[in-house]
Amino acid sequence: MTVPWHLVGLAFLICLAVSAPGFRRVYYFVSLCYAGAIAAQSLVFWLVFHDTVEGWTLLQLGLLFVYGVRLGAFLAIRERNPVYARELAGAERRTAGVKLWQKVAIWLGVSLLFTLLFLPALLTLSLQAQGAWPASTPLGVMVMVAGLVIESVADWQKYRYKLANPAHYCDVGLYRMVRCPNYFGEMLFWFGVWLSGLSAYTTIAAWLLATLGMLYIEALMTAAAAGLERKQDERYGTEPDYQDYVRTVPILFPATAIYSLRKLRLAFR
């Protein structure tokens, strides 16, 4: 099966359209537009393949839609919370000087990323439409479910905790097992999407593009965890209980001895 370039082009156009609000607020490009682009692609391609999509592939598409809607709703609710007003104000200040050509570059870049992230599902849908069984999809979908559950629970736990304790780092629930469980869940979810499409990677282009999207989001989440670590060091670094927390709880991967990502500062700058 060759890459269905006309459908990839459609996916890119969808992402461009949904990501346009980022011109109003730059941080929307990587927040609400991100969530909306994944949900929109899921909906549009369900309509395109509604005659053939079924079983595990339909479940995969549904999970991608739920992922986008859940993330978008969470971000919208959090944006209206005064606890996060300081962070949003900081984001506004940091992006106030972004020029139009830079916004265009970001718009094109994130739209391409969102397209590549969805590509494994698109290839799986195309494979099933040709009458072939995507054997890798069940395992990938199970990994997606695990990632979505972890990320959703972690986001909710931190949101509730920060409402009650706005000046303290979150160290309850999943945050007792790993310091960035929401990022870990995100990484696991997208690895599951990539894994689900293995049966459909029948060309070098499919392998390269799908793997590029997966590796980029994994690197992005790792860099985000490193950035959060530096931010928390600045806020809580003088507190003895925080020092105990970072020495005993892994930063990103549960049940590992990786307690810091500070050395990634230069690699991801």
Side-chain angles (χ1 to χ4, degrees):
M1 183 189 75
T2 60
V3 175
W5 294 111
H6 62 296
L7 296 178
V8 175
L10 175 58
F12 185 60
L13 290 175
I14 293 168
C15 293
L16 286 173
V18 176
S19 299
F23 284 97
R24 179 167 173 259
R25 292 183 175 176
V26 175
Y27 62 84
Y28 279 174
F29 279 129
V30 292
S31 58
L32 291 173
C33 296
Y34 172 34
I38 301 303
Q41 288 180 94
S42 303
L43 181 59
V44 170
F45 286 110
W46 174 76
L47 294 172
V48 171
F49 289 98
H50 73 277
D51 288 333
T52 57
V53 62
E54 61 181 5
W56 287 97
T57 305
L58 179 60
L59 180 57
Q60 178 196 40
L61 204 57
L63 286 171
L64 284 161
F65 181 75
V66 170
Y67 169 88
V69 171
R70 184 215 69 89
L71 179 60
F74 172 76
L75 292 172
I77 292 171
R78 192 178 69 171
E79 186 172 312
R80 289 170 172 76
N81 191 309
V83 173
Y84 290 91
R86 179 179 173 183
E87 291 188 24
L88 293 176
E92 290 277 13
R93 288 193 299 272
R94 289 192 299 271
T95 58
V98 177
K99 297 179 173 57
L100 178 59
W101 70 266
Q102 293 173 312
K103 291 181 180 180
V104 171
I106 296 171
W107 178 50
L108 294 173
V110 297
S111 296
L112 177 60
L113 174 60
F114 304 155
T115 302
L116 294 181
L117 288 176
F118 192 83
L119 181 61
L122 182 55
L123 294 174
T124 302
L125 288 166
S126 298
L127 182 66
Q128 190 177 57
Q130 295 177 17
W133 164 243
S136 60
T137 304
L139 178 58
V141 165
M142 287 187 279
V143 175
M144 289 172 64
V145 170
L148 182 58
V149 169
I150 291 171
E151 182 180 11
S152 300
V153 171
D155 278 344
W156 181 247
Q157 287 177 339
K158 185 173 184 179
Y159 178 77
R160 292 294 301 272
Y161 184 84
K162 295 296 281 187
L163 282 178
N165 307 276
H168 196 267
Y169 56 92
C170 181
D171 60 349
V172 300
L174 294 177
Y175 291 84
R176 292 184 180 275
M177 301 175 60
V178 63
R179 304 206 309 272
C180 299
N182 49 345
Y183 295 157
F184 172 71
E186 179 97 354
M187 294 171 74
L188 192 62
F189 178 84
W190 287 114
F191 177 74
V193 174
W194 177 84
L195 185 62
S196 70
L198 283 178
S199 300
Y201 305 155
T202 57
T203 66
I204 294 176
W207 271 104
L208 288 178
L209 292 174
T211 303
L212 178 63
M214 185 272 292
L215 290 178
Y216 190 88
I217 196 68
E218 302 297 295
L220 196 63
M221 289 298 102
T222 303
L228 180 60
E229 180 182 19
R230 293 192 293 272
K231 185 186 299 183
Q232 290 186 334
D233 283 347
E234 293 174 0
R235 292 181 180 177
Y236 315 116
T238 59
E239 301 177 17
D241 58 338
Y242 175 73
Q243 292 300 327
D244 290 338
Y245 178 59
V246 300
R247 280 196 299 266
T248 57
V249 179
I251 183 168
L252 188 56
F253 304 106
T256 67
I258 303 175
Y259 298 102
S260 176
L261 295 172
R262 294 184 187 90
K263 293 182 180 180
L264 293 180
R265 175 191 292 268
L266 294 178
F268 289 103
R269 178 169 292 177

